[in-house]
Amino acid sequence: MTMNRGPLTTPSPADAVPGPTAPPDRYDVVVVGGGPAGLAAAVTLARSLRSVVVVDAGEPRNAPAEGAHNVLGHEGVAPRDLLAAGRREAEAYGVEVRAGEVVDARRGADGTFEAQLADGAVLRARRLLLATGLVDELPDVPGLAQHWGHDVLHCPYCHGWEVRGRRIGVLGAGPASVHQTLLFRQLSDDVTLFLDGMDDPEPETWEQLAALGVRVVDGRVEQVGSAGEGDGAGLSVRLAAEDFAVDALVVAPRFVVRGELYGRLGGQLTEHPMGRMIPTDPTGRTDVPGVWAAGNARDLSAMVVVSAGEGLMAGAGLNADLVAEDARTTVEARRAVASRAQQPAGA
């Protein structure tokens, strides 16, 4: 069936009206967080000629680590070096990167967001991207935090290669610890699971651990400390009755998303077995109109490359949303011009 829509005409340049432009004190997007997700989103947006400012509090989650791994083309790069390179790339496209902390955010009646910084500055934007990351909340064991990111680990893909074939301990915290034990057993024949008060594994799990030669130690871990002087000395895991020497200790942190701003904007975090996170669609769009999220803020398990990829997707989603809004606004302006032109003189 063919519908007759009348003759199609191509608008002439005279029919066009200028597209909307942001006032000088307003950005297209404020990105909160200068990690891989935030910087990748900023680059994506800037390459589509969007005005972007990134506010970076300078607290990257992986700062304690010596290197970031599984980063194609940059294997083992120091985390802060990677971020410095990302900032240079973003700034080359015109992105403004500001050191500071966004302490409040709200949306005005006109739909424009206002992000207030700790120093009192206020940034205005049409859209807001939360790339605020998360904080690793470690088990409450004395000495554990001092070795975090070096001899105390949690991800076999981030740091497992570096401890392959060595003495690896796993601090029990639940089913996730058994999963970690099996993953690290792939990397070493010498793996010890410290139950540390967790529920006894199921019979099938006991059988797996026994078959794989995993040592299981009951009792509470009282303290973790250095086993000797200098790097590479390993750790001493102290229980009431005995000390155990390991080269690395694996833990299961609770992931705490930096979600305060999302809450101030009216959003609610969603529960996850490993913590809470900002709920989004696949592009990073949240339930709060005009607000996107990317990286660990919405994906607790995202590593560096995944976070950067999510930032790219969020940047593309934000730009598409702005393009659609710009098109609607321009159509409305064109209709208004045409309506005025059709009014009789002096009306």
Side-chain angles (χ1 to χ4, degrees):
M1 179 178 179
T2 302
M3 298 181 65
N4 184 7
R5 299 178 182 270
L8 297 176
T9 59
T10 301
S12 68
D15 294 324
V17 297
T21 57
D25 65 340
R26 189 180 73 175
Y27 300 89
D28 286 317
V29 181
V30 168
V31 178
V32 186
L39 291 172
V43 169
T44 302
L45 286 161
R47 283 176 54 83
S48 289
L49 307 184
R50 296 296 178 186
S51 57
V52 184
V53 58
V54 175
V55 182
D56 182 17
E59 300 175 349
R61 176 192 179 194
N62 60 357
E66 295 177 359
H69 300 285
N70 301 306
V71 183
L72 191 62
H74 298 279
E75 174 59 31
V77 62
R80 290 192 182 276
D81 290 347
L82 180 65
L83 296 181
R87 286 193 293 271
R88 290 194 296 270
E89 291 174 3
E91 289 170 339
Y93 284 109
V95 173
E96 180 183 346
V97 180
R98 296 183 59 152
E101 181 184 0
V102 178
V103 295
D104 196 9
R106 57 188 176 272
R107 188 173 188 176
D110 63 350
T112 298
F113 291 95
E114 292 186 350
Q116 182 178 339
L117 275 61
D119 63 5
V122 175
L123 305 176
R124 295 173 176 82
R126 299 167 64 189
R127 298 292 186 273
L128 196 63
L129 172 62
L130 303 178
T132 46
L134 59 80
V135 176
D136 295 289
E137 190 175 88
L138 299 176
D140 187 18
V141 176
L144 201 65
Q146 288 88 322
H147 298 274
W148 174 242
H150 299 281
D151 301 321
V152 175
L153 318 168
H154 85 282
C155 175
Y157 305 107
C158 299
H159 306 290
W161 169 268
E162 283 65 40
V163 296
R164 68 194 187 284
R166 307 188 73 184
R167 300 168 300 175
I168 301 173
V170 179
L171 183 63
S177 301
V178 173
H179 180 59
Q180 286 180 310
T181 300
L182 297 178
L183 290 174
F184 276 91
R185 176 60 181 81
Q186 165 66 20
L187 300 167
S188 175
D189 294 333
D190 190 341
V191 177
T192 301
L193 171 60
F194 298 96
L195 292 181
D196 193 38
M198 66 177 273
D199 293 338
D200 283 348
E202 297 294 329
E204 181 181 356
T205 302
W206 275 115
E207 187 175 10
Q208 290 178 347
L209 296 174
L212 292 168
V214 174
R215 183 179 187 181
V216 179
V217 177
D218 199 1
R220 286 286 186 179
V221 173
E222 297 182 350
Q223 187 174 359
V224 173
S226 297
E229 298 293 333
D231 295 336
L235 298 174
S236 174
V237 180
R238 176 169 297 176
L239 280 72
E242 188 178 357
D243 289 0
F244 295 84
V246 298
D247 295 305
L249 184 63
V250 178
V251 301
R254 176 171 174 77
F255 300 144
V256 181
V257 164
R258 295 185 175 106
E260 295 83 1
L261 288 178
Y262 188 61
R264 290 179 179 273
L265 291 162
Q268 290 187 337
L269 300 180
T270 187
E271 294 295 331
H272 185 278
M274 294 188 295
R276 294 193 298 167
M277 61 186 184
I278 298 175
T280 74
D281 72 4
T283 70
R285 186 194 300 263
T286 75
D287 294 334
V288 178
V291 179
W292 264 251
N296 285 140
R298 65 165 294 273
D299 184 352
L300 301 180
S301 63
M303 292 176 270
V304 171
V305 171
V306 176
S307 291
E310 290 185 357
L312 187 157
M313 293 302 297
L318 280 160
N319 182 60
D321 191 52
L322 289 167
V323 164
E325 181 177 272
D326 291 344
R328 291 192 301 270
T329 302
T330 305
V331 166
E332 292 170 0
R334 185 170 182 266
R335 287 174 177 172
V337 170
S339 176
R340 289 194 298 269
Q342 292 173 1
Q343 292 179 358

